[in-house]
Amino acid sequence: MSRENIIKTVEDSPVGEKYMILNHKSGLTVFLCPMKKYSAMYAQFTARYGSLDTAFRTDAQKDFTRVPAGIAHFLEHKMFEDEEGDAFMKFAQTGANANAYTSSDRTSYELSCTSGMMENLEILLSMLTKPYFTEESIRKEREIITQEINMYRDSPYWNVYFNLLRSLYHRHPITVDIAGTAESIAKIDRTLLLFCHGVFYNLHNMALSVSGNFEADEVIELCDRILESSPEIKIDREFADEPPEVRRSFFSKRLPVATPIFEIGFKNSPLPKQELLRKSIAADIALEALCGETSALYSRLYNAGLITDSFDSELACEKDLFAIIFSGESNKPQAVLDELLKEIEEFRQNGVNEEDFRRVKKYLYGKFAMGYSDVESIANALTNAFIEERTPFEGIRILPEISIKEVNDAIREYFDFGRLALSVVEPVN
Amino acid sequence: MTDRLKREEILPSVFFNSFTDGLYKSNRISINLFMPLSRDKAAKHALLTGVLAKSSKKYPSLQSLNKKLYDLYGAGLVSDVSKIGESQSVTLHLLSVANRFALEGENVLSASADFLCETLLEPNISGGAFIPEEVEIERARLIDLIESQINDKRSYAIHRCSELLCEGENYAIPRCGYTEDAEKISPEELYQTYRELLAGSRIEIFHVGSDDSSDVKALFKSRLSVLERRPDRSIVTMSAAPRVCRPPKNISENMDVTQAKLVLGFAAEESKSARDSVAMLMAMMIYGILPSSKLFRNVREKLGLCYYCTARYDRYKSVVFVDSGIEAANRERAAREIIAQLEEIKNGEFADKDIREARLALRSSYRGVFDEARLVESYYMGNIMSGFDKEPEEMAAFADEIGREEIINACRGMKLGAVYCLEGRGVSA
């Protein structure tokens, strides 16, 4: 194993920003994208550790360990604490903005500031590599997280989404809220938190992305000074054995909403990792052609008052999971579903029209280009590449290569009428 | 006038504002038409934003209009109404890629400006009215939007508190007006409103982005010069703070929610100068905006009563709302603590460290203004609306100079005027 820093510089990224990839001797992957004309620096320190990672083992362990749902998120809340109190307070003293979030595949800590860049970065790196929690603070955090869970419970959008996932999947961990449940977080204690930190916050499982106004050399020096090299740990994640069919095809719940809101999902087998980006872009083009704002279906549904401009489609492309989801508001969700199925059938027969295909690609190209317009988006793109184990900014490079055949194949493959579910939240009265 | 932003009155009460820098990867153009906020016009203006952005004479269907946007590399057209103090603004805004990203050398900026002019000035009309079918679709969408406000309990509760605090004043009118008004607007009346808006509003056009502004300015000047303008010069955006009564108004409502929402509404003193407004902002940052604020430290961290408890300050109306998601049983305790924390600030019970942190956070946000086109627009629009003509550096310099006394003075006049609580059914505290 190498104990030297290895730096690779990429001069010609498709978005015009030059960046560096540093394989730091500590094991940490560091992306550096100095953008000197900006005044802010943005840093993102990310662990490949999300809400789905509830059963795992390292190469030192024979058996899988199962931990309570919501632990990655709980740990995220607690990492801001150290012997002197709350790191939020330290960032406040330097004028930095700090935040953190947990998603299904990562825990990310972000920092943005326009002065004292290295001082701030030092606080962030120290905070994440040196856990400190007491039983008392864990108890208090549990109460705060319980309030957070309750807050989401009242959101109709949260309900319609999770009810869809719980209809599509039998036992996949995606069906559990990122924050866990009141019962699961009751089981989280100091020992468990320290154990998970030890496994997932090892530097080989983490990346630091920095963009904006900073000196690359200073970040490297800081990493050299603060980060202690750790032995590489290989993490093996276990996923529940998920059957291909959906659990149920319809679920409805009543909540205080004005108009029913719905989500429609098509369950698919996970995409192979090496083709994930290419296939997901082909699927994006397919969705735009099928029901994007320029599609015949969108106009028909909109003009018939069956959807509003909140209608949307997206890919849920996670570790070991691939689904296509349509969402919106409608007084007749079933009618939207019927129309959607008819249109898919039509596209299967006739394929995507050549002109629409070109237009959608132009649209997506513009979205990619505009998507990298601030320092945050650049660091995010670099982090995404780390999480997905690929080259940064690949999407904008692959897009022109996608053929109409790949798009038509996506339409034929990804919409199995036997593997779909509809989730609805209906008004109380 | 400010030296960075180029501002010019190109026609009576039509202002063209531009700021360009090759740093940006896109161009943002917005047309903002300001009128006084009134019950009579609120819903009409909201309906107008829907109708205008769905078709035009040249692109008479939603599909053809959207195809044009896709051809402009996925330019995003947004139309919206906003409430600034007691003014209402009808805004059309287009975001498109910088010309350097165009794959065939097209002038995307000119095409975008042209498209935006057509959308505003050449709507799809017939016989002195908007197309009845289109009006019906947008009416349904608007009513749905108004009614769907209850979907987001947090913003719903804040809105209810503002209605209570500013009862009988125009500020209490919701951004999109009322359902019963939206139901009655005829296509003819809507067209009449449109004509009055074009003739009477104060128009603020912004171009912030990568490419040169001169063509855009010339285009707007020539296209808008054909309008018969009778601008209402009295349109102001800063309005007087509400008069509060004693004891404060107090209302609780019940809904099917797990988490109660508590909102306290305060009337503040009006800022007489840019410096005063910075002092008030600093007071509110210390009170409840910063992550290290007194509300966060005490209501959330020390007492563990909530997941969030924050203050928001509307400088155009001199009102402050403190909102919190709590267990209904903790309602009195939380309200007491929120009020007590404000009293502490008024009594000067805050640390020098708090002042320093507010200063640093403000300095950081003023310094970051030029990093993003949208921030540039919102900063200078705020300047124009408040009538305080200061560069971000000057505002940051105020923050550096303002000390304890000015902060105390800024918030000393704050009076609690309304307490609103949204609670779950059945379980009473």
Side-chain angles (χ1 to χ4, degrees):
Chain A
M1 189 169 50
S2 161
R3 286 295 172 196
E4 292 300 317
N5 291 338
I6 301 168
I7 303 178
K8 185 182 150 207
T9 303
V10 180
E11 300 275 354
D12 56 344
S13 81
V15 287
E17 310 291 350
K18 172 177 145 181
Y19 66 92
M20 285 168 253
I21 306 174
L22 160 66
N23 291 315
H24 190 258
K25 57 190 176 187
S26 62
L28 182 70
T29 304
V30 185
F31 297 97
L32 300 169
C33 185
M35 298 155 80
K36 292 286 170 53
K37 285 182 77 186
Y38 289 77
S39 60
M41 177 194 87
Y42 177 83
Q44 199 174 45
F45 200 13
T46 306
R48 257 192 216 118
Y49 179 35
S51 61
L52 298 189
D53 301 310
T54 49
F56 54 87
R57 68 178 171 203
T58 65
D59 39 7
Q61 297 156 333
K62 201 164 115 286
D63 298 319
F64 282 100
T65 306
R66 288 188 180 75
V67 294
I71 192 162
H73 172 260
F74 203 113
L75 195 55
E76 173 229 302
H77 272 232
K78 284 325 299 166
M79 289 312 294
F80 279 97
E81 189 174 291
D82 64 16
E83 281 164 275
E84 295 147 44
D86 191 331
F88 267 123
M89 307 304 159
K90 287 191 188 168
F91 287 122
Q93 285 167 37
T94 63
N97 255 319
N99 214 335
Y101 67 88
T102 308
S103 66
S104 54
D105 63 1
R106 73 191 76 177
T107 311
S108 206
Y109 298 82
E110 350 173 84
L111 167 76
S112 98
C113 57
T114 56
S115 63
M117 321 298 192
M118 291 310 115
E119 191 190 342
N120 286 316
L121 202 50
E122 182 165 350
I123 299 173
L124 185 73
L125 295 186
S126 309
M127 167 184 117
L128 294 175
T129 47
K130 298 186 187 83
Y132 174 87
F133 356 92
T134 61
E135 288 295 354
E136 169 57 20
S137 71
I138 290 169
R139 189 193 57 74
K140 202 178 290 162
E141 202 62 43
R142 202 176 285 129
E143 287 170 22
I144 293 170
I145 294 175
T146 305
Q147 283 301 323
E148 187 181 356
I149 293 171
N150 287 342
M151 182 176 81
Y152 286 111
R153 289 244 160 117
D154 285 337
S155 161
Y157 304 104
W158 184 91
N159 275 279
V160 76
Y161 177 64
F162 272 92
N163 290 339
L164 177 75
L165 294 176
R166 286 165 193 159
S167 302
L168 291 176
Y169 294 93
H170 294 252
R171 30 185 178 264
H172 196 285
I174 194 81
T175 54
V176 182
D177 187 359
I178 286 165
T181 62
E183 300 75 47
S184 74
I185 64 170
K187 295 183 208 137
I188 294 173
D189 60 15
R190 188 167 175 274
T191 315
L192 264 183
L193 287 171
L194 285 172
F195 173 69
C196 288
H197 181 273
V199 172
F200 291 103
Y201 284 58
N202 91 68
L203 295 175
H204 297 269
N205 193 45
M206 300 185 82
L208 171 67
S209 305
V210 191
S211 57
N213 193 338
F214 69 96
E215 298 292 336
D217 288 347
E218 291 182 9
V219 176
I220 299 171
E221 275 165 34
L222 182 72
C223 289
D224 287 349
R225 182 159 58 79
I226 301 204
L227 302 175
E228 289 167 19
S229 61
S230 52
E232 187 167 358
I233 304 177
K234 287 219 163 46
I235 305 165
D236 188 11
R237 287 135 168 119
E238 182 196 54
F239 285 104
D241 182 20
E242 179 65 35
E245 64 274 13
V246 299
R247 185 168 153 228
R248 58 182 177 229
S249 57
F250 178 75
F251 190 85
S252 170
K253 180 170 179 165
R254 288 189 187 275
L255 282 172
V257 289
T259 309
I261 55 176
F262 68 89
E263 297 216 355
I264 296 164
F266 288 87
K267 185 174 182 176
N268 276 284
S269 306
L271 292 172
K273 205 176 108 191
Q274 59 282 10
E275 292 175 294
L276 192 132
L277 188 65
R278 190 177 183 103
K279 293 216 173 225
S280 65
I281 293 175
D284 276 330
I285 299 174
L287 283 177
E288 272 302 328
L290 180 72
C291 66
E293 290 180 13
T294 54
S295 67
L297 177 67
Y298 184 91
S299 280
R300 212 160 62 228
L301 294 174
Y302 190 91
N303 292 336
L306 283 172
I307 55 167
T308 65
D309 34 21
S310 67
F311 181 75
D312 208 357
S313 62
E314 62 172 329
L315 307 178
C317 226
E318 308 272 350
K319 259 180 241 165
D320 209 25
L321 168 143
F322 174 43
I324 292 181
I325 296 175
F326 301 85
S327 58
E329 275 185 338
S330 178
N331 281 315
K332 296 176 183 165
Q334 185 62 49
V336 176
L337 175 58
D338 294 343
E339 287 296 317
L340 179 65
L341 297 186
K342 254 193 264 169
E343 196 72 1
I344 292 169
E345 200 49 62
E346 169 84 22
F347 268 72
R348 277 189 187 144
Q349 303 283 324
N350 302 324
V352 175
N353 148 335
E354 188 79 41
E355 191 199 331
D356 291 343
F357 170 70
R358 268 200 303 271
R359 181 181 297 114
V360 166
K361 273 174 101 169
K362 203 171 173 186
Y363 159 87
L364 287 174
Y365 166 81
K367 289 279 170 220
F368 271 128
M370 285 191 283
Y372 300 118
S373 59
D374 52 44
V375 291
E376 285 93 328
S377 57
I378 297 283
N380 265 319
L382 296 168
T383 301
N384 286 340
F386 170 76
I387 296 285
E388 291 162 22
E389 298 175 70
R390 57 168 175 78
T391 314
F393 310 111
E394 271 291 89
I396 200 166
R397 196 186 58 72
I398 290 178
L399 178 68
E401 297 173 3
I402 308 270
S403 69
I404 196 162
K405 179 179 177 303
E406 286 171 88
V407 175
N408 286 326
D409 286 347
I411 293 174
R412 282 188 201 101
E413 277 171 45
Y414 301 151
F415 301 94
D416 184 340
F417 291 4
R419 293 166 83 192
L420 74 85
L422 169 63
S423 159
V424 183
V425 165
E426 290 180 89
V428 178
N429 301 314
Chain B
M1 224 35 240
T2 54
D3 49 358
R4 287 235 190 76
L5 181 81
K6 294 202 180 78
R7 175 170 171 81
E8 191 186 322
E9 186 166 3
I10 52 172
L11 291 165
S13 213
V14 178
F15 298 86
F16 186 83
N17 306 280
S18 68
F19 181 92
T20 52
D21 191 322
L23 179 74
Y24 304 123
K25 295 188 170 94
S26 58
N27 287 296
R28 286 174 68 88
I29 314 172
S30 72
I31 315 177
N32 309 273
L33 302 104
F34 288 92
M35 290 290 259
L37 178 63
S38 71
R39 171 89 199 230
D40 176 45
K41 291 282 165 54
K44 288 176 186 157
H45 287 154
L47 183 55
L48 199 52
T49 58
V51 173
L52 285 177
K54 294 302 180 315
S55 69
S56 65
K57 200 160 123 195
K58 191 161 172 190
Y59 304 104
S61 71
L62 179 61
Q63 195 177 11
S64 61
L65 186 108
N66 283 334
K67 280 185 175 171
K68 173 67 185 172
L69 288 167
Y70 275 45
D71 283 333
L72 286 171
Y73 294 96
L77 173 68
V78 176
S79 67
D80 208 358
V81 273
S82 46
K83 182 165 103 173
I84 298 176
E86 290 178 349
S87 294
Q88 194 186 24
S89 148
V90 170
T91 298
L92 284 179
H93 146 235
L94 193 72
L95 181 68
S96 53
V97 284
N99 282 341
R100 66 176 181 277
F101 288 106
L103 296 170
E104 285 148 27
E106 311 96 297
N107 188 337
V108 184
L109 174 61
S110 283
S112 298
D114 209 38
F115 175 83
L116 202 55
C117 279
E118 280 164 7
T119 310
L120 177 69
L121 301 173
E122 294 167 41
N124 191 13
I125 47 163
S126 164
F130 284 100
I131 310 297
E133 294 77 23
E134 289 188 13
V135 174
E136 285 319 311
I137 294 167
E138 294 310 314
R139 187 198 313 281
R141 192 195 66 96
L142 173 62
I143 291 173
D144 182 60
L145 189 73
I146 296 170
E147 300 288 312
S148 297
Q149 218 200 357
I150 59 162
N151 292 7
D152 181 349
K153 309 295 178 283
R154 186 172 177 180
S155 64
Y156 173 78
I158 294 170
H159 172 70
R160 291 288 293 127
C161 187
S162 78
E163 280 184 332
L164 200 58
L165 181 68
C166 303
E167 208 172 348
E169 299 186 39
N170 285 339
Y171 189 78
I173 298 168
R175 185 176 69 88
C176 295
Y178 296 93
T179 300
E180 60 263 41
D181 297 340
E183 278 166 350
K184 289 189 294 223
I185 306 163
S186 71
E188 292 77 19
E189 241 181 312
L190 190 64
Y191 185 60
Q192 187 55 35
T193 303
Y194 165 74
R195 300 280 302 261
E196 287 165 14
L197 181 70
L198 285 186
S201 60
R202 166 169 161 187
I203 303 179
E204 294 283 348
I205 301 160
F206 269 83
H207 167 223
V208 184
S210 163
D211 298 296
D212 185 73
S213 265
S214 36
D215 290 352
V216 181
K217 184 169 81 178
L219 178 79
F220 274 102
K221 190 169 178 174
S222 94
R223 298 294 289 268
L224 293 173
S225 64
V226 299
L227 295 177
E228 285 172 32
R229 296 268 297 156
R230 298 177 304 280
D232 178 355
R233 293 265 176 191
S234 69
I235 296 168
V236 287
T237 43
M238 297 294 267
S239 39
R243 296 174 72 92
V244 304
C245 43
R246 294 214 164 263
K249 295 173 197 165
N250 200 324
I251 281 192
S252 288
E253 286 181 331
N254 292 302
M255 216 185 257
D256 279 330
V257 291
T258 320
Q259 184 183 69
K261 306 285 179 204
L262 174 69
V263 189
L264 276 67
F266 299 87
E269 269 172 21
E270 294 141 42
S271 302
K272 300 281 184 290
S273 65
R275 184 176 174 122
D276 282 356
S277 75
V278 176
M280 178 62 184
L281 190 54
M282 286 173 80
M284 291 305 98
M285 291 173 92
I286 295 170
Y287 180 40
I289 295 176
L290 290 174
S292 60
S293 71
K294 287 171 81 76
L295 291 179
F296 185 88
R297 279 197 319 246
N298 291 288
V299 187
R300 170 172 152 144
E301 298 288 294
K302 198 172 117 204
L303 301 176
L305 290 175
C306 60
Y307 171 61
Y308 65 86
C309 182
T310 57
R312 57 191 74 202
Y313 165 47
D314 184 344
R315 60 175 162 161
Y316 303 108
K317 180 67 183 168
S318 303
V319 288
V320 173
F321 297 100
V322 172
D323 84 310
S324 176
I326 54 166
E327 293 278 352
N330 290 329
R331 177 195 160 147
E332 295 308 323
R333 239 177 112 205
R336 260 201 315 277
E337 190 62 23
I338 289 166
I339 294 164
Q341 290 302 322
L342 179 63
E343 286 311 307
E344 286 192 10
I345 297 191
K346 288 182 181 176
N347 295 329
E349 292 165 44
F350 51 95
D352 289 340
K353 187 170 84 51
D354 294 330
I355 305 177
R356 220 166 36 238
E357 289 176 3
R359 205 174 268 160
L360 279 166
L362 273 181
R363 206 191 282 159
S364 184
S365 77
Y366 288 129
R367 197 179 286 165
V369 163
F370 300 103
D371 279 4
E372 285 179 55
R374 73 182 168 86
L375 297 178
V376 172
E377 181 179 330
S378 92
Y379 178 82
Y380 286 106
M381 182 69 104
N383 249 0
I384 292 164
M385 295 298 109
S386 62
F388 303 143
D389 177 22
K390 298 287 174 207
E391 288 293 332
E393 290 83 351
E394 296 174 274
M395 298 295 265
F398 287 144
D400 283 343
E401 291 160 19
I402 288 168
R404 180 172 297 274
E405 281 313 306
E406 270 184 81
I407 292 172
I408 297 171
N409 278 333
C411 68
R412 186 173 275 155
M414 266 174 75
K415 291 189 187 82
L416 179 65
V419 180
Y420 173 83
C421 192
L422 181 69
E423 290 176 14
R425 283 186 217 280
V427 230
S428 82

